[in-house]
Amino acid sequence: MARATMYFPDDFTWGTATAAYQVEGESAANDWQRWEQEPGRILNGDTAGKASGWWTDAEQDLDAAAAMGMTAHRMGLAWDRLEPEPGAFDEAAFGRYRQILTYMHTRGIEPMVTLHHFVNPLWLVAMGDFNNEAVVEQFRQFTAKVVAELGDLIPKWITINEPLVYITLRYLDGVFPAPQKSGFSAGMEALRNLLRCHAAAYHEIKQHYPDAQVGVAKQYRPMRPNNRIPGAKWWSKRLSWLFNDAWMDAMTDGQLRWPVGSGVIDGLAGSYDFVGINYYTYSLVHFPPWPGRLVNDNYPDNGLIGDGNYGELYPAGLFEAIKWALRYEKPIYITENGVPDDDDDIRPILILTHLREIWRAVSFNFPIMGYYHWSLVDNFEWERGWTQRFGLIALDPETQKRAMRTSAALYAEVCKTNSISSDMARKYAPSLLATMFPG
Ligand code: BGC
């Protein structure tokens, strides 16, 4: 077997990603905190608890990230901590984030900061959150305060994380904290307000920091019909348009399209500097559509599937996502990619095969600027609680003890050498050698 190394561009960014609620612990007055107290909401009755302990000690994992050779990390801010009552900001909470962000800079880790990642302050929920257009002004004011307090430390911003995942899980599947009204049309109303929030935040940031890079983290999911009945392909394309394209198309020309809405949102056109892709797996689309169950998770038996039937590893889907993103003609970051895999037997395969797809894209001169692996450390996995472990670092949430998974060693080699290689495949995922490095 010949030895081969695939190098990435010199300025390629290597990092990991986390979200505030999933890692911080000791959480404040927000809808997830309330939701997880309700019986039956979270698998196993799990609660976030101390989560990964970041509110008191993010530094130990950031030290580990720096030691692995990472140059970036995507983290979230908790709106509920920073603004526990409307218009009343918690200066101590801002101080803690300033400390974490400063620490990242001193460790050579560039922050990318998410403003909204699935969690709302309770006072916002009481006013109907994204089903009340007043949320737009609230989000603008929150963003303005963050810009004023922390903007000097934040070169890259994500306004909203995975808007379509958020709408689907909250308004259609009902597994995220219940909104005041649910269902499809309430979900589309919320989506329009999320777009308005994004546009307001974008301009708020750019007005003070014109060089800041602002985008969203958009999950891309290939959609495949689950049968060959006439119409199945058409339907899966329609669903793909809504899930994958609708948001990006609206951010591009400001225009709302059916079924999201109609007309134009002021300030929305062109309101992003990069495309952030979160990529995990593909979906099989039911045809004819079943109410309440649009896609299924009957992945093939011979595939590599994440814990809890999370999805099949499908690296080609990342290349598809990148090709899709090219149409928006902006730099591209992979803002999340990972797999729940407590035993860490398929994560090394995920890392090498997905980075190979990125390398292919780079070799075509596609503008891929960086990769943020989800995640740095095991964290609270929403309605799936602690049953799925995504970390390069394994965590016991009770004792807060940590252990490096083998994948952490692999990712460290990638970051430090700015490459993937046949030697890495031989060492960490021998089953891949023949397919990744033939001949
Ligand atoms: C979300 C993360 C989540 C990850 C793994 C993404 O959809 O942004 O918060 O932990 O998927 O399920």
Side-chain angles (χ1 to χ4, degrees):
M1 183 75 55
R3 294 175 67 174
T5 304
M6 299 165 173
Y7 287 100
F8 287 74
D10 285 346
D11 55 356
F12 195 82
T13 299
W14 294 108
T16 39
T18 53
Y21 191 77
Q22 294 180 271
V23 291
E24 287 178 356
E26 299 165 43
S27 202
N30 63 59
D31 51 355
W32 267 96
Q33 216 277 333
R34 188 168 66 183
W35 185 249
E36 61 172 45
Q37 308 305 321
E38 293 180 19
R41 296 303 187 196
I42 314 292
L43 221 56
N44 278 346
D46 287 348
T47 57
K50 296 179 201 140
S52 324
W54 274 38
W55 193 240
T56 45
D57 188 1
E59 286 79 350
Q60 61 173 319
D61 291 329
L62 294 170
D63 283 345
M68 282 182 237
M70 288 182 217
T71 52
H73 179 72
R74 175 180 165 219
M75 60 171 268
L77 303 179
W79 187 357
D80 49 284
R81 272 188 207 287
L82 292 171
E83 193 176 358
E85 296 298 333
F89 294 98
D90 182 335
E91 298 304 329
F94 274 103
R96 174 64 184 134
Y97 283 124
R98 174 157 276 279
Q99 201 177 30
I100 297 174
L101 290 165
T102 306
Y103 194 76
M104 287 167 76
H105 283 284
T106 59
R107 302 304 315 246
I109 296 179
E110 183 194 62
M112 175 186 270
V113 168
T114 311
L115 290 170
H116 189 274
H117 197 130
F118 299 165
V119 180
N120 300 313
L122 282 180
W123 58 262
L124 191 78
V125 176
M127 57 182 261
D129 60 87
F130 294 98
N131 293 107
N132 178 349
E133 208 175 318
V135 68
V136 181
E137 179 54 19
Q138 295 293 350
F139 193 64
R140 192 196 61 73
Q141 286 176 19
F142 165 61
T143 305
K145 180 71 176 171
V146 173
V147 169
E149 297 283 337
L150 305 171
D152 57 321
L153 297 171
I154 309 179
K156 295 197 173 81
W157 299 72
I158 298 288
T159 56
I160 311 282
N161 181 68
E162 294 189 344
L164 268 299
V165 170
Y166 185 54
I167 297 295
T168 307
L169 297 182
R170 193 171 181 223
Y171 288 82
L172 302 182
D173 296 351
V175 297
F176 272 24
Q180 280 186 7
K181 35 179 184 170
S182 49
F184 187 78
S185 89
M188 291 301 104
E189 178 182 58
L191 195 63
R192 294 192 291 276
N193 283 328
L194 279 161
L195 281 162
R196 294 187 179 101
C197 285
H198 161 78
Y202 179 84
H203 294 292
E204 199 58 51
I205 299 164
K206 298 296 275 192
Q207 188 188 330
H208 296 92
Y209 291 96
D211 294 337
Q213 298 297 294
V214 186
V216 296
K218 180 70 198 70
Q219 183 171 130
Y220 181 89
R221 213 168 170 100
M223 301 275 176
R224 306 281 187 257
N226 77 334
N227 59 43
R228 287 159 181 261
I229 298 173
K233 213 168 164 183
W234 172 86
W235 172 240
S236 100
K237 278 192 172 156
R238 290 308 302 155
L239 216 57
S240 172
W241 180 81
L242 183 57
F243 187 86
N244 292 315
D245 305 4
W247 176 281
M248 291 302 303
D249 289 359
M251 273 204 320
T252 302
D253 62 10
Q255 185 80 47
L256 297 174
R257 294 166 180 80
W258 186 86
V260 179
S262 58
V264 165
I265 290 182
D266 284 345
L268 185 60
S271 61
Y272 59 102
D273 304 313
F274 62 87
V275 181
I277 298 176
N278 291 1
Y279 175 70
Y280 289 91
T281 187
Y282 64 91
S283 282
L284 294 167
V285 177
H286 274 299
F287 189 79
W290 294 358
R293 195 143 185 262
L294 295 172
V295 297
N296 71 23
D297 45 16
N298 299 332
Y299 294 106
D301 293 341
N302 57 354
L304 295 174
I305 316 269
D307 292 348
N309 202 26
Y310 184 79
E312 188 187 358
L313 251 56
Y314 181 55
L318 180 54
F319 194 77
E320 176 181 323
I322 292 168
K323 277 205 326 211
W324 161 83
L326 287 177
R327 71 176 75 164
Y328 299 110
E329 299 181 339
K330 299 271 164 115
I332 300 166
Y333 287 90
I334 309 307
T335 38
E336 285 182 29
N337 172 236
V339 63
D341 179 26
D342 200 12
D343 298 342
D344 205 37
D345 47 5
I346 64 175
R347 188 175 290 99
I349 300 177
L350 171 124
I351 292 175
L352 287 169
T353 53
H354 287 68
L355 292 180
R356 194 252 320 255
E357 295 302 313
I358 297 176
W359 181 84
R360 271 180 65 205
V362 163
S363 67
F364 285 116
N365 279 329
F366 298 166
I368 326 287
M369 318 307 285
Y371 174 83
Y372 296 75
H373 186 79
W374 185 277
S375 183
L376 176 54
V377 59
D378 284 346
N379 54 59
F380 183 71
E381 186 52 38
W382 308 115
E383 82 284 8
R384 285 149 281 138
W386 291 99
T387 65
Q388 291 180 334
R389 304 305 183 98
F390 279 83
L392 295 173
I393 304 172
L395 169 79
D396 177 337
E398 290 301 317
T399 61
Q400 291 288 308
K401 285 221 172 67
R402 284 146 160 86
M404 291 292 183
R405 290 199 168 96
T406 304
S407 289
L410 163 61
Y411 196 52
E413 281 193 38
V414 170
C415 298
K416 287 176 184 169
T417 61
N418 200 28
S419 69
I420 51 173
S421 68
S422 52
D423 283 348
M424 291 178 202
R426 192 168 287 116
K427 193 159 152 195
Y428 296 100
S431 62
L432 278 183
L433 259 187
T435 44
M436 271 188 81
F437 300 95

